[in-house]
Amino acid sequence: MFAEALARLPAQPEPTPKSEFVARQNRLTSQFRSDDVLILSSPPHAVHSNDVEYPYRTSSDLIYLTGWTEAETVVVLRCTEKGWVSALFVQPKDTLKEIWEGRRPGVEGALSSYAVDEAYGNDELEDRLSEWLTDARRVFHRGGINPHVDQLIQTAVRRRDRARQHFGTGPVAVEDPSGMLAELRLRKSSSEIDQMVYASKVAAIAHELAMRHSREGVTEYQLQSVIEGFFSYAGASGWSYPSIVGCGENATILHYTTNRDVCGDDEVILIDAGAEYRGYASDITRSWPISGAFTDAQREIYDVVLEAQLAAIEACQVGNLYTAPHDAARKVLAEGLIRLGVISQSLEDSLDMESGELKRWYMHNTSHWIGLDVHDAGVYKPGGEPRLLEPGMCLTVEPGLYFGAWRPDVDCPERYANIGIRIEDDVLITQDGPVVLTEDCPKTVEDIERIVGRDLR
Ligand code: GLY
Ligand code: MN
Ligand code: MN
């Protein structure tokens, strides 16, 4: 069923080489003092019901530094006489558990296939931490991810209370390393871009398949299954965030994930869905008429949003403020709504964040960083000033207009009642201008009208 679509995808990229993980660790430790210790832990499993757990996803920082994705893991970076050493604490081999739950790489697998100097069973964590924190001054650790590891660190630090008092040794501070890691993660390497390109191409084709499968009477969950089915078929690990599949008034609910309604012929469907591949996210939104032909009213809104999106993508240039795409999109959206008679204010007044009318119909930001997290790490305003775009940064561009006739807070123009349009692509910043990673996904009116319902005709 998906074979023809799969044939249009490139081969899956090479995994990130070990040497790159080593380089990432070195970039981080080069910012440390020799008596600093970094401790990163994986989150615990989450319960779905009774003894059933949700599919496991480890922390993005852990993937970034080691590529290791198994549960119950801690990575420690510390400095010894030989220099910086990385240690991974993992689930030890256990035949009985492996019979039930699956094979474990264990200590041997960690050492042979991952960029770590040392590996231990996680049952050794408490003793090793106690030893390694003896002479540490600062412990870099983000609390709140794994309460068990938080507790071990607290205990290990507290054990040093006497030493601190008597000899002045032992940790004096526990600091959050997230900001340092975020700064590294913000600029993507070519290997990371390879993974993101694949995640983007998978999601682009998945959206096209959903377009082809759309017609009156199709349900939101059926379109969701087409999209997510193709994610798996193409080798993605699944979605990078729960798929938003909303027709009619549901398209005007920004993070609608119920996905249970039947689609009507006169409705627009908005699908916001992205694949995750080797931990990397894609994030695409497309909106199309279920009938396969835009009504005049639907087309008026679609044209404005598409013009705004193209202007915002054009603003994704090296040296521009990261807010440039948002400013560009807002201006085009406001001009469009003034032209259509939806906004009666002047352009300047309509853009005012307090009293401007634009925010009634466009109430979210245009961009967020994307990478290992769909809303990726990276401070937007370091020191309070908007960041300038640099090569290697990746962000989404996702303007929209939402006319929820159900909303009690505004008078929705009748002509546009329950039209919700968002168009979202993922963009890589380069010296040569923006590269749209998700460009394979149809978005012109002509392409959409040609494709919607094609598989059902
Ligand atoms: N899918 C959530 C977002 O677009 O940010
Ligand atoms: Mn999205
Ligand atoms: Mn997004």
Side-chain angles (χ1 to χ4, degrees), residues 16-331:
T16 300
K18 259 195 203 184
S19 56
E20 183 165 329
F21 290 109
V22 172
R24 293 176 189 174
Q25 293 168 17
N26 290 343
R27 272 203 295 280
L28 184 62
T29 55
S30 70
Q31 302 173 54
F32 288 160
R33 298 195 302 247
S34 61
D35 51 7
D36 290 338
V37 173
L38 172 89
I39 305 168
L40 288 183
S41 56
S42 63
H45 283 285
V47 172
H48 177 273
S49 66
N50 193 19
D51 57 352
V52 176
E53 290 162 347
Y54 282 101
Y56 188 72
R57 167 60 156 79
T58 195
S59 93
S60 296
D61 284 340
L62 227 154
I63 299 176
Y64 183 76
L65 279 187
T66 66
W68 185 269
T69 57
E70 307 270 319
E72 294 182 36
T73 301
V74 174
V75 64
V76 180
L77 301 182
R78 71 190 196 283
C79 195
T80 71
E81 318 81 72
K82 289 182 278 170
W84 282 92
V85 171
S86 55
L88 201 57
F89 291 84
V90 303
Q91 291 176 311
K93 300 286 279 178
D94 180 328
T95 306
L96 190 60
K97 288 236 168 74
E98 289 181 59
I99 287 171
W100 283 91
E101 296 166 4
R103 303 298 303 277
R104 294 176 173 182
V107 169
E108 302 77 12
L111 285 173
S112 63
S113 306
Y114 290 83
V116 288
D117 304 303
E118 300 174 356
Y120 304 95
N122 50 17
D123 45 355
E124 292 188 45
L125 180 64
E126 185 164 6
D127 289 348
R128 299 272 172 192
L129 275 189
S130 180
E131 179 193 334
W132 294 342
L133 294 189
T134 303
D135 296 318
R137 294 299 280 172
R138 286 188 304 181
V139 179
F140 282 97
H141 170 70
R142 177 173 191 168
I145 292 180
N146 189 319
H148 172 64
V149 177
D150 291 354
Q151 187 63 50
L152 289 185
I153 293 170
Q154 262 181 28
T155 308
V157 170
R158 214 173 285 135
R159 252 193 226 131
R160 305 269 86 77
D161 281 354
R162 281 171 66 82
R164 253 196 313 275
Q165 190 178 9
H166 285 258
F167 313 114
T169 59
V172 291
V174 179
E175 290 184 24
D176 188 340
S178 310
M180 292 163 119
L181 280 155
E183 201 57 29
L184 298 179
R185 285 173 48 189
L186 190 53
R187 297 161 190 86
K188 273 65 179 175
S189 70
S190 64
S191 168
E192 290 185 286
I193 291 163
D194 289 347
Q195 318 304 322
M196 291 183 69
V197 164
Y198 193 74
S200 300
K201 287 185 176 293
V202 169
I205 291 187
H207 277 257
E208 185 191 316
L209 293 175
M211 288 177 193
R212 281 159 50 168
H213 200 77
S214 294
R215 73 162 165 208
E216 184 178 18
V218 75
T219 61
E220 293 167 344
Y221 54 84
Q222 285 164 350
L223 295 178
Q224 177 184 1
S225 79
V226 169
I227 291 219
E228 294 179 5
F230 188 70
F231 287 172
S232 299
Y233 193 84
S237 50
W239 45 250
S240 50
Y241 54 91
S243 303
I244 295 163
V245 184
C247 63
E249 74 167 35
N250 300 335
T252 70
I253 297 171
L254 303 179
H255 282 174
Y256 170 85
T257 51
T258 313
N259 305 354
R260 298 308 301 170
D261 275 355
V262 181
C263 302
D265 203 39
D266 55 349
E267 292 179 333
V268 168
I269 184 145
L270 181 155
I271 298 191
D272 182 345
E276 181 177 277
Y277 180 72
R278 295 210 183 108
Y280 286 85
S282 54
D283 182 3
I284 299 181
T285 309
R286 290 293 184 267
S287 315
W288 61 87
I290 285 292
S291 68
F294 285 90
T295 63
D296 289 346
Q298 291 166 352
R299 168 109 196 222
E300 283 158 17
I301 301 304
Y302 193 88
D303 283 346
V304 171
V305 176
L306 183 56
E307 188 189 341
Q309 205 233 12
L310 296 176
I313 290 173
E314 196 46 42
C316 293
Q317 303 287 345
V318 170
N320 274 2
L321 296 176
Y322 90 91
T323 46
H326 187 49
D327 293 342
R330 277 173 43 83
K331 177 166 178 286

